Amino acid sequence: ELLLTNTLVSLFAGVMPIPGGIGVSEAAIAFCLTAIGIPSATAAAIALVFRLLTFYLPPIWGGFAMRWLRRQAFL
């Protein structure tokens, strides 16, 4: 069920004309999780934490990595 949820949300967010599916993905994840029986408050928390870890934080880590690579003259 979770794999299907993730696949459907990715497909849905991909066809929406919103860059990165911001807001759309969170709402769709929460909706799908609620549809499979998870309480709505828990589903919303799961959706926000999932998107935080997979979409919002990686650019920050990449910025630190890019700065380190430039200091070491690898780039």
Side-chain angles (χ1 to χ4, degrees), residues 12-26:
F12 180 67
V15 296
M16 296 301 291
I18 298 170
I22 296 174
V24 174
S25 294
E26 290 87 348

Side-chain angles (χ1 to χ4, degrees), residues 51-74:
R51 286 288 286 179
L52 177 75
L53 294 176
T54 61
F55 187 75
Y56 297 114
L57 290 180
I60 295 170
W61 302 327
F64 287 118
M66 182 69 79
R67 187 173 1 158
W68 182 81
L69 288 168
R70 286 185 178 156
R71 280 191 201 149
Q72 302 300 320
F74 292 132

